[in-house]
Amino acid sequence: MSCTFRSTTKQGKYHLPLQVRWNEPGAHYSLVEKEKLPRFPFSIDQEGDIYVTQPLDREEKDSYVFYAVAKDELGKPLSTSLPIHVKVKDINDNPPTCPPTMPVFEVQENEQIVSSIGTLVAHDMDEENTVNSVLHYKIVDQFPKFPKDGLFLVQTYTGVFQLAKQSLKKQDAAQYLLTVEVSDKDFQTLCQVKINVIDINDQIPIFEKSDYGNLTLAEDTAVGSTILTIQATDADEPFTGSSKILYRITQGDDEGRLGIDTDPQNNTGYVIIKKPLDFETTAIHNIVFQAENPEPLVPGVQYNASSFATFTLFVTNVNEAPQFPQHIVQAKVSEDVAIGTKVGNMTAKDPEGLDISYSLRGDTRGWLRIDPATGEIFSAAPLDREAESLYRVQVVATEVGGSSLSTAAGFHLALTDVNDNPPRLAKEYTGLFFCHPLGAPGSHVIQATDDDLQSFRGPQFTFALGSESLQNDWEISKINGTHARLSTKHTRFEERVYNVLIRINDGGQPPLEGTVSLPVTFCSCVEGRCFRPVGHMPGIPTVGATVGILLTTFLVIGVILTVVFIRMKKNKGKDNVESAQGSEATPLRN
């Protein structure tokens, strides 16, 4: 069973055009919800009539489903429950609503009449596609009304805004505020729309004057110097790409010696020197400037003579030093080249066309010489990569005549390696020893090296004893490409130092061999360390000399004591005689 009821906001109890009735009297009726709702706006009386007890709102809920139940006096169902469907019919009880934020549209200055600008979308909560939700749009106010009212129109049913009468100018008004009435058949709502006028690049830059006159500068004027100030103006919106001005030189500076910086605040142009001026290359520059915008001009607008200006720059001559085409020239030769071999060439050019004389500076090893007239460089002494692999000197070019100005450039000579260094021990092996007497054969490890690059000698050194006489006592065996082991072949060595000759071959091209003497000491050991008597040191007496000195000292002391003793004895005898004589001359008295 179903029925339709109009939504209403009135309070009260309304009878639905709906009634349920059991065939026999005495039935008790009730309604049961199909789904649990926050509120159930229906009731049934004992006659089976169904009522609306609370206001209905289609926008809240547009349909209801519930059951009618008939029971006897004991509460027992008399029949299966009867489903009831109620549809809430819409009425126009909601006014139109504006968008949550004010719409903002943009229109360019050159927009064509009737061009679409934007769309206002209002809402109505009444049922869609019914007369209650059909909206009408109408502009009721424009601010400002300059240059005239009615510049815009809106489509009645779509809300699409269009330009109505003429193209806009931002100079007239940068922004318009429109008040729009949105209505359905019963309600009206006022909404607002903002329209911003966007500037277009329809104005060209115009120079304040077309000729900036003449200027004379010396060719040695410092790079970075500001030599001229220029100015153009643009009527487009300030601080936009349409009004910003960029200056460039279109004629008279093919070498790019000048540049122009622009002040973004006031579009002032500053002409600066980017590269050194050169009288010999160009003595007069007839400069043409152009002022332009970074934004392209609109169709139909073009740059004309007002965007161009001229300027004449006269460059005066200054005597300049010779100039090298490069600050540093690099060359490479083998370190074994013959004396007098040409290893490089450096030439300079004098801007005034004077002759140039060349010389070397910093040739500390005396390896090179230079032809003063041509700048050709030759080897003057044997070169040695191991002493200096990259030899750096300076070539000085000096004017012949004039002010004798000079300039210098670097000449770097890289020496490639040849196998010209025989192998040697990697360090001094002065502490090799064996404890004497030797209890069992022993050995020591040695390492070889040479001063050549790895690529110019063989990948491995080879080792051999220096003479056949050593083969009875010693043996040498290779461990790897750089290390070998020297071993004793017996234990019958004396307590002394043995000098073992070892030949080391580098296997290079050509192979080089070196013979080294390796001192090996056999000595008494104390706690595993070689014990050696202290040898005589310069300025310190030996033990024998020390003993001789001591004996001599004791002998001298003995002689001195003997003489002293004899003299003391003689003096004592003399004293005794004198004492006896005195006793005879002087009698004793009682």
Side-chain angles (χ1 to χ4, degrees), residues 40-61:
F40 185 67
F42 303 99
S43 66
I44 189 171
D45 62 15
Q46 292 310 304
E47 300 299 325
D49 293 322
I50 299 176
Y51 297 87
V52 176
T53 59
Q54 300 180 33
L56 301 179
D57 188 352
R58 189 203 65 84
E59 287 71 39
E60 176 184 340
K61 188 171 179 61

Side-chain angles (χ1 to χ4, degrees), residues 235-383:
D236 288 308
E237 182 182 0
F239 306 109
T240 65
S242 298
S243 63
K244 181 179 180 180
I245 297 177
L246 300 178
Y247 299 96
R248 64 185 181 96
I249 297 174
T250 60
Q251 295 180 28
D253 186 27
D254 295 336
E255 299 87 9
R257 302 183 185 276
L258 303 180
I260 308 175
D261 292 335
T262 304
D263 186 333
Q265 299 300 317
N266 52 26
N267 283 331
T268 300
Y270 300 96
V271 183
I272 62 173
I273 297 178
K274 291 175 56 180
K275 297 180 182 179
L277 303 176
D278 189 0
F279 170 83
E280 289 73 23
T281 301
T282 307
I284 301 175
H285 295 268
N286 293 309
I287 304 296
V288 177
F289 302 120
Q290 180 181 1
E292 55 188 3
N293 303 128
E295 290 289 334
L297 296 172
V298 297
V301 179
Q302 295 181 345
Y303 296 107
N304 56 38
S306 300
S307 299
F308 292 85
T310 60
F311 163 66
T312 303
L313 174 62
F314 295 93
V315 181
T316 59
N317 188 35
V318 175
N319 187 26
E320 299 168 281
Q323 297 176 358
F324 284 98
Q326 296 175 268
H327 294 296
I328 295 176
V329 173
Q330 295 185 342
K332 181 186 293 186
V333 296
S334 175
E335 64 174 325
D336 63 348
V337 297
I339 295 176
T341 301
K342 181 179 176 180
V343 297
N345 185 46
M346 290 188 64
T347 56
K349 180 180 179 181
D350 185 75
E352 286 72 42
L354 298 176
D355 292 334
I356 296 175
S357 176
Y358 300 94
S359 60
L360 293 178
R361 179 190 298 165
D363 184 19
T364 56
R365 296 184 181 273
W367 284 356
L368 304 174
R369 70 174 179 85
I370 190 168
D371 187 313
T374 64
E376 294 178 307
I377 303 171
F378 302 88
S379 63
L383 307 178

